[in-house]
Amino acid sequence: MRMSFFTSRVVLVTLFTPVFTLPTRFTPVLLAGMFLLASTDPLHSQVASESLRPPVMGKQGVVASAHPLASLAGQKMLADGGNAIDAIVAAAAALNAVEPYMSGVGGVGYMLLYSAEEDRVRSLIFGGWVPETFEPASLEGASTYSDGAGHGTLEAIGPMTAAVPGNLAGWNRALQDYGTLSLDTVLQPAITYAEQGVPITEFDQAMWAGTRNRVHAYPSSRRVFLNEKEEPYRMGEIFANPDLARTLKEIADNGADHFYHGELATTIADNFARDGGYITREDLASVPDRVQWTDPLEIDYRGYTIYNHPPPGMGLQQLQTLRIMEGFDLQAMGHNSADYLAHLMEAIALARADSDRHIGDPAFVNVPTEELLSDDYIDGQQDEVRRIVEERHAQMQSPVPSLDPTELDARYTYATTSLSAADSQGNVVVITQSLGGGFGSGYVAGDTGIAFNNAMEWMQMEPGHASSSEPGKGITWCIGAMMQVHKDGKPLLAVGSPGSFGILQSVPQIAMNILDFDMEIQEAIDAPRFRWKDELGSVPATEVIMESRIPVSVRVRLSRMGYKLDTSVGDWSMSVGGAQAVLLDPDSDWILGGADPRRNGYALSW
């Protein structure tokens, strides 16, 4: 594995000192970049030429998030003496203001943390819970729209779709147990952005336009998320959320309990009761005690130790995928060759079938984790992949099926975000958090400025499934799947991605790009990806979304093998994720960061 950062293109980003001395009024600033250009060897030249940007490097810390202002918020914490946990919580909270359609206080999430002081990896699950009074039948009459993070033909919105949110409790728990700065301090960037406003980017404009109808039904939501003409915000306009700024100030002054036990909890519960939702004051009060650290799952992959979240997170699927792929000579196949992609697609399909069948809240269902990761079971899955691929080769179609692109279903755009951070003390942390669909449920509770999730749409409404909804049950989440990769007992890589059930496919592809194909971190993120169309209720999937940068010759061969490919996404698409990652050089003190150009992703170093 090529680990020297100076054999590939890097950028050192210097943040001007005034950024960190202004107490509250830090806004977009000039970034001075120094590019260190070095020739890449022929093996990597083609991949490198596809990268739209170089990685960043730092010694004091790196923050990679879905928005440059969120990454800047995290860097401010590092410059003020904080650690990676302080930085990632500040960035996570800032996303509430700068990426409001993806995540926020009304959302849910997962954190995977390596504590250098304790020398261990821990999982923190704040992924949301079914309200105690939830009635599945109510979703049958809910308003539905096909845009956003759907997993069926239409997706329900409205307060009845909201699960009990856990983001704030998760951030607070992480700060209390492993941070060095107060909740008040790390919330300040988010408050500033919400109060003063942030510019709308081209990506923001597309997200706003695609999710307008999700917020239009509720006056409180229209007032926050539509402009003065009640139209979606457009590129160049400034979006502010003074209601959210006020709410965050109250939380900063009174602590997280204000949201779960205080006056704010009463306000939220009263609005839900009035507008047909199920979240009660008792539901909110139960959250802080639910958010507890637990042990992650772990596997060995080619000499690396890989950690991921236990159920109700779906990290098991990613680990199964890697274990199956470990049985094949990937370098001999070649990166993104037809043979490699066929084996990987079949490995993912088998692992997805297992996760669909088995994964749920372990307090309610028995998840056979050890069996699904056992050597005997994985050997059988490897044999099944070989059989399927050989059968497809034997039944090659001729003439070549049409490769004309079809229109991508709007279900494959999502409202989730992922961010990673590392510091000079050796702490490494990655979060994935979500509202579910675009602007979540589309519902803002009163004048709080908080958009609430629609996580109930990600549960099975019929009984008898591992992920069926039951009062108090933890939401079964594809967002609970991210990786930390360790070598010789020390962290090497942390990577996560949004993208609904595509999360379970994108992250392994990026990890294998680095571990098996020797790519540097930005190359690994930029390289073209694919995903099965395997939303909830669509397993087994029959069609694959594939970026058209995959060579035509490869796509022709896959089509002849019987794979139905949808290349309507074009060369680059958020439908295959938006990964953010950090990589630690085992031979130096340097930390490398990469961010996905498919969204607003940006990594900053210090």
Side-chain angles (χ1 to χ4, degrees), residues 49-133:
S49 68
E50 292 179 344
S51 294
L52 299 183
R53 62 180 73 165
V56 303
M57 292 182 64
K59 283 198 171 184
Q60 301 305 312
V62 170
V63 181
S65 83
H67 197 285
L69 292 178
S71 296
L72 183 61
Q75 284 295 344
K76 184 181 189 300
M77 301 303 113
L78 293 173
D80 288 347
N83 61 17
I85 295 84
D86 303 313
I88 203 166
V89 172
L95 288 167
N96 203 136
V98 302
E99 196 190 36
Y101 40 81
M102 294 290 187
S103 67
V105 173
V108 294
Y110 282 72
M111 173 186 288
L112 199 60
L113 164 72
Y114 171 74
S115 165
E117 181 178 358
E118 296 179 355
D119 190 24
R120 64 170 169 167
V121 179
R122 309 196 76 185
S123 170
L124 188 63
I125 299 172
F126 41 101
W129 299 268
V130 179
E132 290 290 343
T133 59

Coordinates of all heavy atoms in Angstrom, one line a residue, residues 49-133:
S49 N -5.8 11.6 -12.9 CA -6.3 12.6 -13.8 C -7.8 12.8 -13.7 O -8.4 13.8 -14.2 CB -6.0 12.1 -15.3 OG -6.8 11.0 -15.6
E50 N -8.6 11.8 -13.1 CA -10.0 12.0 -12.9 C -10.3 12.8 -11.6 O -11.4 13.2 -11.4 CB -10.7 10.6 -12.8 CG -10.6 9.8 -14.1 CD -11.3 8.5 -14.0 OE1 -11.4 8.0 -12.8 OE2 -11.6 7.9 -15.0
S51 N -9.3 13.0 -10.8 CA -9.6 13.7 -9.5 C -9.8 15.2 -9.8 O -9.0 15.8 -10.6 CB -8.4 13.5 -8.6 OG -8.3 12.2 -8.1
L52 N -10.8 15.8 -9.2 CA -11.1 17.2 -9.5 C -10.3 18.1 -8.5 O -10.3 19.3 -8.7 CB -12.6 17.4 -9.3 CG -13.5 16.7 -10.2 CD1 -15.0 17.1 -10.0 CD2 -13.2 17.0 -11.7
R53 N -9.7 17.5 -7.5 CA -9.0 18.3 -6.5 C -8.0 17.4 -5.8 O -8.1 16.2 -5.8 CB -10.0 18.8 -5.5 CG -10.7 17.7 -4.7 CD -11.7 18.2 -3.7 NE -12.9 18.8 -4.3 CZ -14.0 19.0 -3.6 NH1 -14.0 18.8 -2.3 NH2 -15.1 19.5 -4.2
P54 N -7.0 18.0 -5.2 CA -6.0 17.3 -4.4 C -6.5 17.1 -3.0 O -7.5 17.7 -2.6 CB -4.8 18.1 -4.4 CG -5.3 19.5 -4.5 CD -6.6 19.4 -5.3
P55 N -6.0 16.1 -2.2 CA -6.3 16.0 -0.8 C -5.7 17.1 0.0 O -4.8 17.9 -0.6 CB -5.7 14.6 -0.4 CG -4.6 14.5 -1.4 CD -5.0 15.1 -2.7
V56 N -6.1 17.3 1.2 CA -5.4 18.3 2.1 C -4.6 17.6 3.1 O -4.9 16.4 3.4 CB -6.5 19.2 2.7 CG1 -7.3 19.9 1.7 CG2 -7.4 18.4 3.7
M57 N -3.7 18.3 3.7 CA -2.9 17.7 4.8 C -2.7 18.7 5.9 O -2.7 19.9 5.8 CB -1.5 17.4 4.2 CG -1.5 16.2 3.2 SD 0.2 15.9 2.7 CE 0.9 15.3 4.2
G58 N -2.5 18.1 7.1 CA -2.2 18.9 8.3 C -1.6 18.1 9.4 O -1.6 16.8 9.3
K59 N -1.0 18.7 10.3 CA -0.5 18.0 11.5 C -1.3 18.2 12.8 O -1.3 17.4 13.6 CB 1.0 18.5 11.7 CG 2.0 17.9 10.8 CD 3.4 18.0 11.3 CE 4.4 17.2 10.4 NZ 5.7 17.2 11.0
Q60 N -2.0 19.4 12.9 CA -2.8 19.6 14.1 C -4.2 19.0 14.0 O -4.8 18.7 15.0 CB -2.9 21.1 14.3 CG -1.6 21.8 14.5 CD -0.7 21.2 15.6 OE1 -1.2 21.0 16.7 NE2 0.5 20.9 15.3
G61 N -4.6 18.8 12.7 CA -5.9 18.2 12.6 C -6.5 18.4 11.2 O -6.1 19.3 10.5
V62 N -7.4 17.5 10.9 CA -8.2 17.6 9.6 C -9.6 17.4 9.9 O -10.0 16.5 10.7 CB -7.7 16.5 8.6 CG1 -8.6 16.5 7.4 CG2 -6.2 16.8 8.1
V63 N -10.5 18.2 9.2 CA -11.9 18.0 9.3 C -12.4 17.9 7.8 O -12.2 18.8 7.0 CB -12.6 19.2 10.0 CG1 -14.1 18.9 10.1 CG2 -12.1 19.3 11.4
A64 N -13.2 16.9 7.5 CA -13.7 16.7 6.2 C -15.2 16.6 6.4 O -15.7 15.7 7.0 CB -13.2 15.5 5.5
S65 N -16.0 17.5 5.8 CA -17.4 17.5 5.9 C -18.1 17.8 4.6 O -17.4 18.1 3.6 CB -17.9 18.5 7.0 OG -18.0 19.8 6.4
A66 N -19.4 17.9 4.6 CA -20.2 18.1 3.3 C -20.3 19.6 3.0 O -21.0 19.9 2.0 CB -21.6 17.5 3.5
H67 N -19.6 20.5 3.7 CA -19.7 21.9 3.4 C -18.5 22.6 4.0 O -18.1 22.3 5.1 CB -21.0 22.5 4.0 CG -21.4 23.8 3.5 ND1 -20.7 25.0 3.8 CD2 -22.4 24.2 2.6 CE1 -21.2 26.0 3.1 NE2 -22.3 25.5 2.4
P68 N -17.8 23.5 3.2 CA -16.6 24.1 3.6 C -16.8 24.9 4.9 O -15.9 25.0 5.8 CB -16.2 25.0 2.5 CG -17.4 25.1 1.6 CD -18.2 23.9 1.8
L69 N -18.0 25.5 5.1 CA -18.2 26.3 6.3 C -18.3 25.4 7.6 O -18.0 25.8 8.7 CB -19.4 27.2 6.2 CG -19.3 28.3 5.2 CD1 -20.6 29.1 5.1 CD2 -18.1 29.3 5.5
A70 N -18.9 24.2 7.4 CA -18.9 23.3 8.5 C -17.5 22.8 8.8 O -17.2 22.7 10.0 CB -19.8 22.1 8.1
S71 N -16.7 22.5 7.8 CA -15.3 22.1 8.1 C -14.6 23.2 8.8 O -13.7 23.0 9.7 CB -14.6 21.7 6.8 OG -15.3 20.6 6.2
L72 N -14.8 24.4 8.4 CA -14.2 25.6 9.0 C -14.6 25.7 10.5 O -13.8 26.0 11.3 CB -14.6 26.9 8.3 CG -13.9 28.2 8.8 CD1 -12.4 28.1 8.7 CD2 -14.4 29.4 8.0
A73 N -15.9 25.4 10.8 CA -16.3 25.4 12.2 C -15.5 24.4 13.0 O -15.1 24.7 14.1 CB -17.8 25.1 12.3
G74 N -15.3 23.2 12.5 CA -14.5 22.2 13.2 C -13.1 22.7 13.3 O -12.5 22.5 14.4
Q75 N -12.5 23.3 12.3 CA -11.1 23.8 12.4 C -11.0 24.9 13.5 O -9.9 25.0 14.1 CB -10.6 24.3 11.1 CG -10.3 23.2 10.1 CD -9.1 22.3 10.5 OE1 -8.3 22.7 11.4 NE2 -8.9 21.2 9.9
K76 N -12.0 25.7 13.6 CA -12.0 26.7 14.7 C -11.8 26.1 16.0 O -11.1 26.6 16.9 CB -13.2 27.6 14.6 CG -13.2 28.8 15.6 CD -14.4 29.6 15.6 CE -14.2 30.9 16.4 NZ -14.0 30.6 17.8
M77 N -12.5 25.0 16.3 CA -12.3 24.3 17.6 C -10.9 23.8 17.8 O -10.4 23.9 18.9 CB -13.3 23.1 17.7 CG -14.8 23.5 17.5 SD -15.4 24.7 18.7 CE -15.7 26.1 17.6
L78 N -10.3 23.2 16.7 CA -8.9 22.8 16.9 C -8.0 23.9 17.1 O -7.1 23.8 18.0 CB -8.5 22.0 15.6 CG -9.2 20.7 15.3 CD1 -8.8 20.2 13.9 CD2 -8.9 19.7 16.3
A79 N -8.2 25.0 16.5 CA -7.3 26.2 16.7 C -7.5 26.8 18.0 O -6.6 27.4 18.6 CB -7.6 27.3 15.6
D80 N -8.7 26.6 18.6 CA -8.9 27.1 20.0 C -8.6 26.1 21.1 O -8.9 26.3 22.2 CB -10.4 27.5 20.1 CG -10.8 28.7 19.3 OD1 -9.9 29.4 18.9 OD2 -12.0 29.0 19.2
G81 N -7.9 25.1 20.7 CA -7.4 24.1 21.7 C -8.2 22.9 21.8 O -7.9 22.0 22.7
G82 N -9.2 22.7 21.0 CA -10.1 21.5 21.1 C -9.5 20.3 20.4 O -8.4 20.4 19.8
N83 N -10.2 19.2 20.6 CA -9.7 18.0 19.9 C -10.6 17.6 18.8 O -11.6 18.3 18.4 CB -9.5 16.8 20.9 CG -10.8 16.5 21.6 OD1 -11.9 16.8 21.2 ND2 -10.7 15.8 22.8
A84 N -10.4 16.4 18.2 CA -11.2 16.0 17.1 C -12.7 15.8 17.4 O -13.6 16.0 16.6 CB -10.7 14.7 16.5
I85 N -13.0 15.5 18.7 CA -14.4 15.3 19.1 C -15.1 16.7 19.1 O -16.2 16.8 18.6 CB -14.5 14.6 20.4 CG1 -14.0 13.1 20.3 CG2 -15.9 14.6 20.9 CD1 -12.5 13.0 20.4
D86 N -14.4 17.6 19.7 CA -15.0 19.0 19.7 C -15.2 19.5 18.2 O -16.2 20.1 17.9 CB -14.0 20.0 20.4 CG -13.7 19.6 21.8 OD1 -14.6 19.3 22.6 OD2 -12.5 19.6 22.1
A87 N -14.2 19.2 17.4 CA -14.2 19.7 16.0 C -15.4 19.0 15.2 O -16.1 19.7 14.5 CB -12.9 19.4 15.3
I88 N -15.6 17.7 15.4 CA -16.6 17.1 14.6 C -18.0 17.5 15.1 O -19.0 17.6 14.3 CB -16.4 15.6 14.5 CG1 -17.1 15.0 13.3 CG2 -16.9 14.9 15.8 CD1 -16.7 13.6 12.9
V89 N -18.2 17.7 16.4 CA -19.5 18.1 16.9 C -19.8 19.5 16.4 O -20.9 19.8 16.0 CB -19.5 18.0 18.4 CG1 -20.8 18.6 19.0 CG2 -19.5 16.6 18.9
A90 N -18.8 20.4 16.4 CA -19.0 21.8 15.9 C -19.4 21.7 14.4 O -20.3 22.4 14.0 CB -17.8 22.6 16.1
A91 N -18.7 20.9 13.6 CA -19.1 20.7 12.2 C -20.4 20.1 12.0 O -21.2 20.6 11.2 CB -18.0 19.9 11.5
A92 N -20.8 19.1 12.9 CA -22.1 18.5 12.8 C -23.2 19.4 13.1 O -24.2 19.5 12.4 CB -22.2 17.3 13.7
A93 N -23.0 20.3 14.1 CA -24.0 21.3 14.4 C -24.1 22.4 13.4 O -25.2 22.8 13.0 CB -23.7 21.9 15.8
A94 N -23.0 22.8 12.8 CA -23.0 23.8 11.8 C -23.7 23.4 10.5 O -24.3 24.2 9.8 CB -21.5 24.2 11.4
L95 N -23.7 22.1 10.2 CA -24.4 21.6 9.0 C -25.9 21.8 9.2 O -26.6 21.9 8.2 CB -24.1 20.1 8.9 CG -22.7 19.7 8.4 CD1 -22.5 18.2 8.5 CD2 -22.6 20.1 6.9
N96 N -26.4 21.9 10.4 CA -27.8 22.3 10.7 C -28.2 23.6 10.0 O -29.3 23.8 9.5 CB -28.0 22.4 12.2 CG -29.4 22.2 12.7 OD1 -29.7 21.6 13.6 ND2 -30.3 22.9 12.0
A97 N -27.2 24.5 9.9 CA -27.4 25.8 9.3 C -27.0 25.9 7.9 O -27.7 26.7 7.1 CB -26.7 26.9 10.1
V98 N -26.0 25.2 7.5 CA -25.4 25.4 6.1 C -25.9 24.3 5.2 O -25.7 24.4 3.9 CB -23.9 25.5 6.1 CG1 -23.4 26.6 7.0 CG2 -23.2 24.2 6.6
E99 N -26.4 23.2 5.7 CA -26.9 22.1 4.9 C -28.2 21.6 5.5 O -28.3 20.4 5.9 CB -25.8 20.9 4.8 CG -26.1 19.9 3.7 CD -25.2 18.7 3.9 OE1 -24.9 18.3 5.0 OE2 -24.7 18.2 2.9
P100 N -29.2 22.5 5.6 CA -30.4 22.2 6.4 C -31.3 21.1 5.9 O -32.1 20.6 6.6 CB -31.1 23.6 6.4 CG -30.7 24.2 5.1 CD -29.3 23.8 5.0
Y101 N -31.1 20.8 4.6 CA -32.0 19.7 4.0 C -31.4 18.3 4.3 O -32.1 17.3 4.1 CB -32.0 19.9 2.5 CG -30.7 20.3 1.9 CD1 -29.7 19.4 1.6 CD2 -30.5 21.7 1.6 CE1 -28.5 19.8 1.0 CE2 -29.3 22.0 1.0 CZ -28.3 21.1 0.8 OH -27.1 21.5 0.2
M102 N -30.2 18.2 4.9 CA -29.6 16.9 5.1 C -29.7 16.5 6.6 O -29.8 15.3 6.9 CB -28.1 17.0 4.7 CG -27.9 17.2 3.2 SD -28.4 15.7 2.3 CE -27.8 16.2 0.7
S103 N -29.4 17.4 7.5 CA -29.3 17.0 8.9 C -29.6 18.1 9.9 O -29.7 19.3 9.4 CB -28.0 16.4 9.2 OG -26.9 17.3 9.1
G104 N -29.7 17.8 11.2 CA -29.9 18.9 12.1 C -30.3 18.3 13.5 O -30.3 17.1 13.7
V105 N -30.7 19.2 14.4 CA -31.1 18.9 15.7 C -32.3 17.9 15.7 O -32.4 17.0 16.6 CB -31.4 20.1 16.6 CG1 -31.9 19.8 17.9 CG2 -30.1 21.0 16.7
G106 N -33.1 18.0 14.7 CA -34.3 17.2 14.6 C -34.0 15.9 14.0 O -34.9 15.1 13.6
G107 N -32.7 15.6 13.7 CA -32.3 14.4 13.0 C -31.7 13.3 13.9 O -31.8 13.4 15.1
V108 N -31.1 12.4 13.3 CA -30.6 11.2 13.9 C -29.2 10.9 13.4 O -28.8 11.3 12.3 CB -31.5 10.0 13.7 CG1 -32.8 10.2 14.4 CG2 -31.7 9.7 12.2
G109 N -28.4 10.0 14.1 CA -27.1 9.8 13.6 C -26.3 8.6 14.4 O -26.9 8.0 15.3
Y110 N -25.1 8.4 13.9 CA -24.2 7.4 14.5 C -22.8 8.0 14.5 O -22.4 8.8 13.6 CB -24.1 6.2 13.6 CG -25.3 5.2 13.8 CD1 -26.5 5.5 13.3 CD2 -25.1 4.0 14.4 CE1 -27.6 4.6 13.4 CE2 -26.2 3.1 14.5 CZ -27.4 3.4 14.0 OH -28.5 2.5 14.1
M111 N -22.0 7.6 15.5 CA -20.6 8.1 15.6 C -19.7 6.9 15.9 O -20.0 6.0 16.7 CB -20.4 9.1 16.8 CG -19.0 9.5 17.0 SD -18.8 10.6 18.5 CE -19.5 12.1 17.8
L112 N -18.6 6.8 15.2 CA -17.6 5.8 15.4 C -16.3 6.5 15.8 O -15.7 7.3 15.1 CB -17.3 5.0 14.2 CG -16.7 3.6 14.3 CD1 -17.5 2.7 15.2 CD2 -16.5 3.0 12.9
L113 N -15.8 6.3 17.1 CA -14.8 7.1 17.7 C -13.6 6.2 18.1 O -13.8 5.1 18.7 CB -15.3 7.8 18.9 CG -14.2 8.4 19.9 CD1 -13.5 9.6 19.3 CD2 -14.9 8.7 21.2
Y114 N -12.4 6.6 17.7 CA -11.2 6.0 18.3 C -10.6 7.0 19.3 O -10.3 8.2 19.0 CB -10.1 5.7 17.3 CG -8.8 5.3 17.9 CD1 -8.6 4.1 18.5 CD2 -7.7 6.2 18.0 CE1 -7.4 3.7 19.1 CE2 -6.5 5.9 18.5 CZ -6.4 4.6 19.1 OH -5.2 4.2 19.7
S115 N -10.6 6.6 20.6 CA -10.0 7.4 21.6 C -8.5 7.1 21.8 O -8.2 5.9 22.2 CB -10.7 7.2 23.0 OG -10.0 7.7 24.0
A116 N -7.6 8.0 21.5 CA -6.2 7.7 21.7 C -5.8 7.5 23.1 O -5.0 6.6 23.4 CB -5.4 8.9 21.1
E117 N -6.4 8.2 24.1 CA -6.1 8.0 25.5 C -6.5 6.6 25.9 O -5.7 5.9 26.7 CB -6.8 9.1 26.3 CG -6.5 9.0 27.8 CD -7.2 10.1 28.6 OE1 -7.9 10.9 28.0 OE2 -7.0 10.1 29.8
E118 N -7.7 6.1 25.5 CA -8.1 4.8 25.9 C -7.7 3.7 25.0 O -7.8 2.5 25.3 CB -9.6 4.8 26.0 CG -10.2 5.7 27.1 CD -11.7 5.7 27.1 OE1 -12.3 5.1 26.2 OE2 -12.3 6.4 28.0
D119 N -7.2 4.1 23.8 CA -6.7 3.1 22.8 C -7.8 2.1 22.5 O -7.6 0.9 22.5 CB -5.4 2.4 23.3 CG -4.8 1.6 22.1 OD1 -5.0 2.0 21.0 OD2 -4.0 0.6 22.4
R120 N -9.0 2.6 22.1 CA -10.1 1.7 21.8 C -11.1 2.4 20.9 O -11.1 3.7 20.9 CB -10.8 1.1 23.0 CG -11.5 2.1 23.9 CD -12.4 1.4 24.9 NE -12.9 2.3 25.9 CZ -13.8 2.0 26.7 NH1 -14.4 0.8 26.7 NH2 -14.2 2.9 27.7
V121 N -11.8 1.7 20.1 CA -12.8 2.2 19.2 C -14.2 2.0 19.9 O -14.4 0.9 20.5 CB -12.8 1.5 17.9 CG1 -13.9 2.0 17.0 CG2 -11.4 1.7 17.2
R122 N -15.0 3.0 19.8 CA -16.4 2.9 20.5 C -17.4 3.4 19.5 O -17.2 4.2 18.6 CB -16.4 3.8 21.7 CG -15.3 3.5 22.7 CD -15.6 4.1 24.1 NE -16.6 3.2 24.8 CZ -17.1 3.6 26.0 NH1 -16.7 4.7 26.6 NH2 -17.9 2.8 26.6
S123 N -18.6 2.8 19.6 CA -19.7 3.1 18.8 C -20.8 3.9 19.6 O -21.1 3.4 20.7 CB -20.4 1.8 18.2 OG -21.6 2.1 17.6
L124 N -21.3 5.0 19.1 CA -22.3 5.7 19.7 C -23.5 5.8 18.8 O -23.4 6.3 17.7 CB -21.8 7.1 20.1 CG -22.8 8.0 21.0 CD1 -22.9 7.3 22.3 CD2 -22.2 9.4 21.1
I125 N -24.6 5.3 19.2 CA -25.8 5.2 18.4 C -26.9 6.2 18.9 O -27.3 6.1 20.0 CB -26.4 3.8 18.4 CG1 -25.4 2.8 17.9 CG2 -27.7 3.7 17.6 CD1 -25.8 1.3 18.0
F126 N -27.2 7.2 18.1 CA -28.2 8.1 18.4 C -29.2 8.2 17.2 O -29.5 9.3 16.7 CB -27.7 9.5 18.8 CG -26.5 10.0 18.0 CD1 -26.7 11.0 17.0 CD2 -25.2 9.5 18.3 CE1 -25.6 11.4 16.3 CE2 -24.1 10.0 17.6 CZ -24.3 11.0 16.6
G127 N -29.5 7.0 16.7 CA -30.2 6.9 15.4 C -31.7 7.0 15.4 O -32.4 6.7 14.4
G128 N -32.3 7.4 16.6 CA -33.8 7.6 16.6 C -34.6 6.4 17.0 O -34.1 5.2 16.9
W129 N -35.8 6.6 17.5 CA -36.6 5.6 18.1 C -38.1 5.8 17.7 O -38.5 6.9 17.5 CB -36.5 5.6 19.6 CG -35.1 5.3 20.1 CD1 -34.6 4.1 20.4 CD2 -34.0 6.3 20.2 NE1 -33.2 4.2 20.7 CE2 -32.9 5.5 20.6 CE3 -34.0 7.6 20.1 CZ2 -31.7 6.2 20.9 CZ3 -32.7 8.3 20.3 CH2 -31.6 7.5 20.7
V130 N -38.8 4.7 17.6 CA -40.2 4.8 17.3 C -40.9 5.4 18.5 O -40.8 5.0 19.7 CB -40.8 3.4 17.1 CG1 -42.3 3.5 16.8 CG2 -40.1 2.7 15.9
P131 N -41.7 6.5 18.3 CA -42.5 7.1 19.4 C -43.4 6.0 20.1 O -43.9 5.1 19.4 CB -43.3 8.2 18.7 CG -42.5 8.5 17.5 CD -41.9 7.3 17.0
E132 N -43.6 6.1 21.4 CA -44.4 5.1 22.1 C -45.8 5.0 21.6 O -46.4 4.0 21.7 CB -44.3 5.4 23.6 CG -42.9 5.2 24.2 CD -42.5 3.8 24.3 OE1 -43.4 2.9 24.2 OE2 -41.3 3.5 24.5
T133 N -46.4 6.1 21.1 CA -47.8 6.1 20.7 C -47.9 6.0 19.2 O -49.0 6.2 18.7 CB -48.5 7.4 21.2 OG1 -47.8 8.5 20.6 CG2 -48.4 7.5 22.7

